[in-house]
Amino acid sequence: MKKPIIALLPLYDSEKESYWMLPGYMKGIEKAGGIPVMLPLCTNTEILDTLADQYDGFLFTGGQDVSPGLYKAEKSALCGEICKERDQMEKYLLERVLHLDKPILGICRGIQILNAVLGGTLYQDLQAEHPSKITHRQKPPYDKPIHSVRLEPDSPLCLLLQKPTLGVNSCHHQAIKELSSALTPMAYSEDGLTEAVYKADARFVWAVQWHPEFSYESDENSLAIFREFIKRAAQDA
């Protein structure tokens, strides 16, 4: 079977004015059997249409906070750095790839922008808006689980991993507040946050709040998520 080519949404460093990528995203895709390619940061719709057509799957990565404007909210003082160009690019590309019904995996910011683009809302700062004893922003090393999530019975993730709970790593201060009606939950944290979702009417659209790109080497469950994504992307590669 031909290896699928996976497009990775770029990370952006505003201080250095540079595009970059955490190696775990690429290495995780490689280990799962795919070929990763980082996209340019671009808002030209003709280019984005070409990119959407060209690649077999799309990984929406972590990074800056999602602009509250995407879900029609005022920006809180506790909202972190946003990247308007990235928000614009990801909204357009996400809608285009959903239309083409190509496989999508979202990680951290990826689950947040998926929810926002599809009509859901976000907590702009968990500590202020959803106080909890659960650690959602752990210190290094990031490959170690810091809290657990409960997998929804009969959800695709539960069927894949064959377990009711899962230990996950965590490094975020925003999260899903109101879940989009287009998405179905697959996992909840101990304090009630939606930590994994899928789009039931899509070929493959999964997103998780935790970070398999940090733990795929030490955790078979993280690698299994990458492998399932690659398997679906390979079907039409």
Side-chain angles (χ1 to χ4, degrees):
M1 184 179 292
K2 182 181 177 183
K3 288 188 174 185
I5 303 177
I6 306 299
L8 279 67
L9 275 294
L11 306 179
Y12 180 68
D13 186 324
S14 58
E15 291 185 5
K16 296 181 180 179
E17 295 186 348
S18 64
Y19 313 148
W20 65 287
M21 183 56 57
L22 283 164
Y25 290 119
M26 290 193 157
K27 294 296 183 181
I29 292 298
E30 288 177 26
K31 190 165 185 177
I35 300 172
V37 176
M38 188 182 84
L39 298 182
L41 186 62
C42 169
T43 57
N44 181 302
T45 57
E46 290 185 10
I47 293 175
L48 294 178
D49 286 341
T50 300
L51 294 173
D53 290 336
Q54 182 173 350
Y55 292 99
D56 302 307
F58 293 80
L59 174 56
F60 284 76
T61 55
Q64 285 96 343
D65 287 353
V66 174
S67 171
L70 282 185
Y71 48 95
K72 298 178 175 59
E74 294 293 325
K75 186 175 184 290
S76 160
L78 296 174
C79 184
E81 178 188 10
I82 61 175
C83 177
K84 291 183 179 179
E85 189 175 10
R86 190 173 175 191
D87 288 331
Q88 185 179 345
M89 173 188 179
E90 292 191 1
K91 181 179 186 296
Y92 185 89
L93 190 61
L94 181 56
E95 291 173 339
R96 179 64 181 159
V97 173
L98 286 170
H99 175 74
L100 295 172
D101 201 21
K102 291 193 173 187
I104 292 170
L105 177 62
I107 294 176
C108 194
R109 170 189 162 93
I111 191 175
Q112 296 166 12
I113 196 159
L114 176 67
N115 187 60
V117 168
L118 292 177
T121 65
L122 303 177
Y123 290 112
Q124 294 189 42
D125 183 76
L126 287 175
Q127 188 172 354
E129 299 177 55
H130 188 83
S132 168
K133 295 181 180 179
I134 303 301
T135 299
H136 287 289
R137 202 167 192 173
Q138 74 188 89
K139 296 179 180 179
Y142 296 120
D143 62 333
K144 306 300 181 187
I146 194 70
H147 71 79
S148 66
V149 297
R150 172 180 54 82
L151 303 186
E152 284 291 276
D154 298 323
S155 69
L157 186 59
C158 187
L159 294 173
L160 174 69
L161 302 181
Q162 291 292 300
K163 55 181 60 183
T165 60
L166 178 68
V168 298
N169 54 7
S170 188
C171 189
H172 63 106
H173 85 109
Q174 297 198 324
I176 290 175
K177 183 177 182 180
E178 297 175 34
L179 182 64
S180 162
S181 61
L183 299 173
T184 303
M186 294 198 289
Y188 292 98
S189 62
E190 297 154 289
D191 55 357
L193 292 179
T194 303
E195 291 259 348
V197 299
Y198 75 108
K199 196 170 187 293
D201 59 351
R203 177 176 153 200
F204 182 90
V205 176
W206 286 20
V208 298
Q209 185 59 72
W210 61 90
H211 289 272
E213 80 278 12
F214 286 126
S215 55
Y216 72 93
E217 289 187 296
S218 59
D219 176 33
E220 62 182 15
N221 300 298
S222 295
L223 183 58
I225 292 171
F226 277 125
R227 282 179 169 157
E228 186 68 12
F229 173 47
I230 296 304
K231 181 177 80 171
R232 301 299 186 89
Q235 291 174 353
D236 285 344

